[in-house]
Amino acid sequence: MSLPLVSIVIPSYKTGHFETCLKSALGQSYPNIEILVSDNCPTEAIKDMCAKYSGHLIYQRNSAIREQNVLTALFAAKGQLIKPLFDDDVLHPFCIERMVATMNMDPEIQLVFSASQVINVDNERTETRRPYEASGSMPARDMQRSMVLGMRNFVGEFSSIMFRRERLWEIGRHLFKYHNHDCTLGLADVAAYFNLARDGKVFYIDEELSYFRHDRRLESNSNPNANPNFGYCFSDYIDLLIESCDIGIVAPEELEVMAPTVDDVATRLGGVFPMMATSQQRFHAKVAAHKEGVRP
């Protein structure tokens, strides 16, 4: 069986669970890996923890912050396959082995993801994420349609995926921009999945291979208390729906059918997140333009 080099990329800032995260990468059953830590921590804590370990570990200091730290780290990877891992998440020991075996099955598979578990600050399981009841593949187009029409991210966070380095370099630095909409402040992960999987296949592994840590005390994009741009995680679903229509993934008639759902979400969340109104207005302008265009 082919054993391509896999880069486990850890963009790092938070220290609280970093060593647990790092140990899960070092403890993989798959032999051909490099672990790249991109450290943006304001202290020397992450550097000191990395110094305790050797082997496949590559440490680099990075002055870039947030999404730029993520991008810089990903583009520094040398492996044929890239496995992102955020600094407070954890991998199952067989994660890389299982995902590589899946990638090796079919060169058309561009993105692999798995079932996952949400854990709290004490490593206790709080929520199982299992979007399907069996492993299997789907065209990237079907994944995208399901996400935008259902307004849901069933793939999960970056720590749940693996993708091909070649596709990343084809996309370039606009990984978090989909068509004409920049999702950097909100659904950057979803935009990345659409870009990475484009024109290929996506494979779901029905095994719990990653653990996403949810702790409202942590400074992370998934924490509304720490992220002033959290509202974009909702409004971007509307904008990604519009962009998907623009490029033909979603039909104009399907866009129009989504109007009650869009209005309901905008009504419920608009009072908290002002960006919802902007996306709602853009949606209705697109629907109106279509109606005018199809009238005789």
Side-chain angles (χ1 to χ4, degrees):
M1 184 181 75
S2 173
L3 297 176
L5 177 64
V6 176
S7 297
I8 303 178
V9 178
I10 311 178
S12 306
Y13 177 82
K14 304 182 294 295
T15 61
H17 303 282
F18 174 78
E19 194 159 9
T20 300
C21 166
L22 180 59
K23 285 180 178 179
S24 77
L26 290 164
Q28 289 298 302
S29 62
Y30 186 80
N32 193 19
I33 63 173
E34 66 169 14
I35 300 170
L36 175 61
V37 176
S38 182
D39 178 14
N40 182 240
C41 180
T43 72
E44 297 293 300
I46 288 176
K47 180 180 179 180
D48 292 343
M49 280 185 268
C50 288
K52 295 161 54 178
Y53 302 93
S54 58
H56 310 290
L57 180 59
I58 301 169
Y59 172 87
Q60 67 180 28
R61 188 70 179 171
N62 194 347
S63 60
I65 63 173
R66 295 188 180 274
E67 72 279 353
Q68 290 305 316
N69 186 21
V70 176
L71 285 173
T72 300
L74 293 176
F75 278 98
K78 296 180 176 63
Q80 294 170 252
L81 301 173
I82 297 177
K83 179 73 186 75
L85 175 61
F86 282 179
D87 55 14
D88 45 16
D89 297 340
V90 179
L91 299 182
H92 187 283
F94 294 145
C95 178
I96 303 300
E97 180 180 336
R98 297 283 196 270
M99 288 189 166
V100 171
T102 300
M103 283 289 202
N104 281 340
M105 290 192 311
D106 186 349
E108 292 188 20
I109 296 173
Q110 294 291 341
L111 185 74
V112 170
F113 71 104
S114 73
S116 62
Q117 181 72 225
V118 180
I119 56 177
N120 63 18
V121 66
D122 298 314
N123 294 317
E124 297 169 333
R125 300 170 176 230
T126 61
E127 178 189 353
T128 299
R129 294 176 172 179
R130 190 182 175 209
Y132 300 103
E133 295 184 355
S135 300
S137 68
M138 70 187 84
R141 181 186 182 93
D142 289 353
M143 175 196 72
Q144 183 169 339
R145 283 177 52 80
S146 180
M147 280 192 177
V148 297
L149 292 173
M151 290 192 171
R152 62 185 185 125
N153 173 11
F154 56 78
V155 172
E157 294 73 23
F158 250 44
S159 294
S160 70
I161 68 166
M162 176 182 284
F163 58 88
R164 300 187 187 275
R165 178 176 177 268
E166 182 180 18
R167 174 54 59 87
L168 175 68
W169 281 82
E170 289 175 2
I171 298 166
R173 305 294 292 189
H174 299 295
L175 181 63
F176 303 139
K177 180 180 179 181
Y178 185 72
H179 195 225
N180 293 318
H181 184 69
D182 190 345
C183 293
T184 299
L185 297 179
L187 296 179
D189 49 1
V190 175
Y193 303 158
F194 292 173
N195 287 322
L196 290 167
R198 185 189 67 244
D199 300 327
K201 296 179 182 177
V202 177
F203 198 99
Y204 166 69
I205 302 174
D206 192 36
E207 293 183 64
E208 190 178 285
L209 297 180
S210 64
Y211 303 87
F212 168 70
R213 193 178 304 278
H214 184 67
D215 182 357
R216 290 187 179 274
R217 291 171 292 178
L218 296 176
E219 183 179 344
S220 71
N221 288 339
S222 61
N223 181 358
N225 297 322
N227 181 8
N229 297 312
F230 191 73
Y232 289 107
C233 295
F234 301 103
S235 64
D236 276 354
Y237 276 116
I238 301 174
D239 290 296
L240 285 171
L241 177 61
I242 297 168
E243 300 300 328
S244 297
C245 181
D246 277 352
I247 65 170
I249 298 292
V250 171
E253 294 78 12
E254 293 175 306
L255 189 73
E256 185 175 348
V257 169
M258 288 293 294
T261 301
V262 169
D263 289 341
D264 176 64
V265 171
T267 298
R268 286 189 289 111
L269 300 177
V272 180
F273 303 121
M275 60 281 288
M276 295 297 297
T278 302
S279 296
Q280 181 187 26
Q281 291 168 7
R282 183 170 175 244
F283 172 86
H284 282 291
K286 177 63 66 175
V287 170
H290 166 65
K291 288 181 176 179
E292 292 175 1
V294 297
R295 285 173 181 165

